[in-house]
Amino acid sequence: MAAIDDLPPLREVIETHGLRAKKTLGQNFLLDLNLTARIARAAGDLAGSDILEIGPGPGGLTRGLLAEGARRVLAIEKDARCMPALEEIAARYPGRLQVIEGDALEIDPLTHLTPPIRVAANLPYNVGTELLVRWLTPKEWPPFWESLTLMFQREVAERIVAAPGSKAYGRLAILAQWRASARIVLDLPPQAFVPAPKVSSAVVHLTALPAPRFPADPAVLSRVVAAGFNQRRKMLRASLKGVAPGIEDHLAAAGIPPTERAEQVGLEAWCALARSVAAAQ
């Protein structure tokens, strides 16, 4: 394995600092620095960007991001045991790595970052989807980030890029594809991690669009889609009956047959339905 810097191999770092992965923190450490460098490269040209990383652990991806030329990396880590290892990386890259100990769900990173900003992370399994939804549903668009390069369980990655009619298609696909371009850029087997998870993983790259693909009120779209997929086996006229009076009229206005099921409706039609419901409020 080719070295990406002159720091010790990750396996040695983990042994030195006693960093046994904790299941309660959703940790699975990726030790192959060639793979972490590939993930960093998948995030695009990093030279002029600040990078937000969540859950760096022993710092494998952190090192990849810095070695690939990131202007600056802000790493948020909840596990205090990882701080000494991350401090060693910060010393190797003076002025380019800031580490904050804390919960990424509670910390506002924007006070520490300068645009343009990219997000790149091997997200802890237990908070990954929640963070993604937050990043996809800000109050204002375009968001603070230009791109997201994120590792998920393969099942979650497939839900992000899913097309209508597929089993994986749902609310997450609509939220992701409404205002971003999303694609899977790398697959990783369980053996790539320590400890090896029971499922495969995948890296998804999302690029923020300057504006949504189709007009819709974000809150209304989110409410309509959530109701539709909450009872995805039902026909939409049944699953959406509590969303707005005269739901069949709204479905007709959007060109959606009332007997259609949620997974059969494309993004443009969902947006048209949200506009019709919003106009009646």
Side-chain angles (χ1 to χ4, degrees):
M1 178 171 58
I4 63 171
D5 54 34
D6 54 8
L7 290 166
L10 281 175
R11 198 172 294 276
E12 183 179 321
V13 171
I14 286 173
E15 291 175 359
T16 298
H17 296 286
L19 299 179
R20 185 180 299 275
K22 286 187 176 181
K23 188 174 182 180
T24 54
L25 295 175
Q27 291 176 329
N28 295 92
F29 297 148
L30 183 60
L31 301 188
D32 188 334
L33 289 170
N34 288 326
L35 284 177
T36 61
R38 286 180 65 186
I39 297 169
R41 288 194 292 272
D45 183 2
L46 308 181
S49 298
D50 278 11
I51 311 299
L52 172 62
E53 183 187 7
I54 306 299
L61 179 56
T62 314
R63 289 165 63 175
L65 294 166
L66 291 165
E68 289 297 321
R71 179 177 67 191
R72 192 166 159 277
V73 175
L74 172 67
I76 300 176
E77 176 55 62
K78 189 174 184 179
D79 188 352
R81 301 175 306 152
C82 296
M83 302 307 286
L86 295 170
E87 288 168 3
E88 291 173 2
I89 301 172
R92 168 62 178 77
Y93 295 94
R96 294 177 57 201
L97 173 61
Q98 179 184 359
V99 183
I100 297 178
E101 182 183 342
D103 189 338
L105 295 173
E106 299 174 357
I107 293 172
D108 179 9
L110 298 186
T111 58
H112 306 277
L113 294 165
T114 302
I117 301 165
R118 298 174 183 267
V119 181
N122 172 11
L123 291 174
Y125 282 164
N126 53 358
V127 297
T129 303
E130 182 174 353
L131 283 169
L132 176 61
V133 170
R134 287 191 184 189
W135 291 329
L136 291 171
T137 56
K139 292 181 179 179
E140 297 181 357
W141 197 270
F144 75 87
W145 51 271
E146 290 191 349
S147 68
L148 309 172
T149 306
L150 307 171
M151 187 187 302
F152 296 98
Q153 295 181 35
R154 174 76 197 194
E155 178 186 355
V156 176
E158 290 174 348
R159 285 166 52 201
I160 295 168
V161 302
S166 66
K167 186 178 180 181
Y169 182 66
R171 175 174 174 262
L172 199 55
I174 292 169
L175 290 179
Q177 297 171 36
W178 180 44
R179 298 193 284 194
S181 296
R183 59 192 176 96
I184 293 176
V185 294
L186 185 63
D187 289 302
L188 296 104
Q191 309 89 271
F193 300 87
V194 175
K198 296 180 181 179
V199 296
S200 296
S201 301
V203 177
V204 182
H205 183 73
L206 300 99
T207 303
L209 298 172
R213 295 184 192 277
F214 309 103
D217 178 277
V220 176
L221 178 63
S222 182
R223 181 162 57 89
V224 168
V225 169
F229 283 100
N230 190 44
Q231 302 180 72
R232 58 190 301 151
R233 293 184 180 181
K234 289 188 175 182
M235 297 176 185
L236 283 175
R237 66 184 176 196
S239 59
L240 296 177
K241 64 181 180 181
V243 168
I247 193 61
E248 290 203 24
D249 293 336
H250 295 301
L251 289 167
I256 303 172
T259 55
E260 207 83 298
R261 290 181 171 81
E263 64 270 18
Q264 299 168 311
V265 178
L267 174 60
E268 185 173 7
W270 278 113
C271 291
L273 177 59
R275 290 196 302 273
S276 179
V277 170
Q281 290 180 346

